[in-house]
Amino acid sequence: MQPLVHAIAKPEADHAPAKPQPAIQPSAAQAPAAAPPQPALASPEDIFVKGDSIVALLQEKLVYQLSLSGVPVGSAQLEASNNNGEVRIQSTIRSNSVVSPIYTVNDSTDTRLIKGRFLLTRIKQQEGLFKSDTGFTIMYPDRKIFWVDRLKKRYSNEPLESLDTLDFVSGFYFLRQRTLKIGDKFSLKLYDGDTTTTAPVIVLRREKLSLPGMRSADTLVIQPAFAESGFFRNNRDLLVWFTNDENRVPVRFEATTPIGRVVAELVSSERIMQPVSHSEK
């Protein structure tokens, strides 16, 4: 991912995000008031640690089959890792040979959250005739966002409105760490390269769900109201099914797209966990 850092910083070096340095932490000689504001995500464990179980997720890979009216039309994958304080989350969505001649989908995101201080995201989309390749860096200590559009060769510097701002992928993983109950209503602040939006989230109901391979799962149905812009420009009425346990694994998605109501069902998963000491938390 080092090339992404350079690609974002290249258009205007004066605005490139500085690498995290020990000086960010106030020394004994500095007055407490001189310390920069802390971001809402103080550490990657805010996304990956499982509460009272004191367990951290080192790596997770989730693979989905996409279908339209029961016909397979593509695949999707979510992969996350936690490596020495750097959280990396990657997602891909691909149409298959059945639907690609009609409506090609080739989307990917790559997000890095570095010690809770810098969030770097790249979003590449091909949906039908639409193509885009954008990226941004959220600099929490400096309360700034640097955004670049690689295809249109544009960039901008924007103020960070709120320290609890995430991109939609990391916001999705952060959502999984919440204790969810039927009827809960809350919101996430998300930036996707277009604008910062407040996305309402509602826990609708509990549902026993049948999965591929004769499996079943007790789930909670979540409705996040993402703005129909940026990555979600062609997707509406999103529903997510989380397993009703401490892992809250997303086992099903539904969204209305230009070709109809598409369903994504989990077909395989891999998870690597490790204990976390109290000192590490």
Side-chain angles (χ1 to χ4, degrees), residues 1 4 88-91 108-112 120-122:
M1 281 297 296
L4 173 58
R88 186 174 185 179
I89 307 171
Q90 298 169 285
S91 73
S108 66
T109 67
D110 195 336
T111 291
R112 295 167 59 202
L120 296 86
T121 294
R122 183 169 186 173

Side-chain angles (χ1 to χ4, degrees), residues 81-95:
S81 62
N82 182 358
N83 183 19
N84 296 323
E86 179 178 322
V87 171
R88 186 174 185 179
I89 307 171
Q90 298 169 285
S91 73
T92 59
I93 303 174
R94 303 280 188 270
S95 56

Side-chain angles (χ1 to χ4, degrees), residues 26-36:
S27 66
Q30 290 176 307

Side-chain angles (χ1 to χ4, degrees), residues 72-74 93-106 126-129 259:
V73 294
I93 303 174
R94 303 280 188 270
S95 56
N96 63 15
S97 58
V98 173
V99 72
S100 287
I102 304 170
Y103 190 83
T104 299
V105 176
N106 186 1
Q126 179 184 358
E127 298 180 9
L129 298 177
I259 60 172

Side-chain angles (χ1 to χ4, degrees), residues 132-177:
S132 71
D133 184 355
T134 61
F136 54 87
T137 298
I138 299 178
M139 297 166 274
Y140 294 105
D142 298 326
R143 300 188 72 111
K144 295 180 180 178
I145 302 174
F146 180 77
W147 170 86
V148 60
D149 185 326
R150 293 172 176 81
L151 298 184
K152 297 181 180 179
K153 302 186 185 305
R154 297 185 297 140
Y155 65 88
S156 67
N157 290 279
E158 306 170 21
L160 176 62
E161 298 174 4
S162 176
L163 289 175
D164 58 356
T165 301
L166 297 165
D167 71 339
F168 74 91
V169 176
S170 57
F172 177 75
Y173 275 81
F174 186 66
L175 173 62
R176 291 176 59 187
Q177 307 314 306

Side-chain angles (χ1 to χ4, degrees), residues 61-92:
K61 182 178 180 181
L62 306 174
V63 179
Y64 300 85
Q65 176 180 275
L66 306 181
S67 60
L68 175 66
S69 300
V71 178
V73 294
S75 61
Q77 181 172 299
L78 282 170
E79 189 165 5
S81 62
N82 182 358
N83 183 19
N84 296 323
E86 179 178 322
V87 171
R88 186 174 185 179
I89 307 171
Q90 298 169 285
S91 73
T92 59

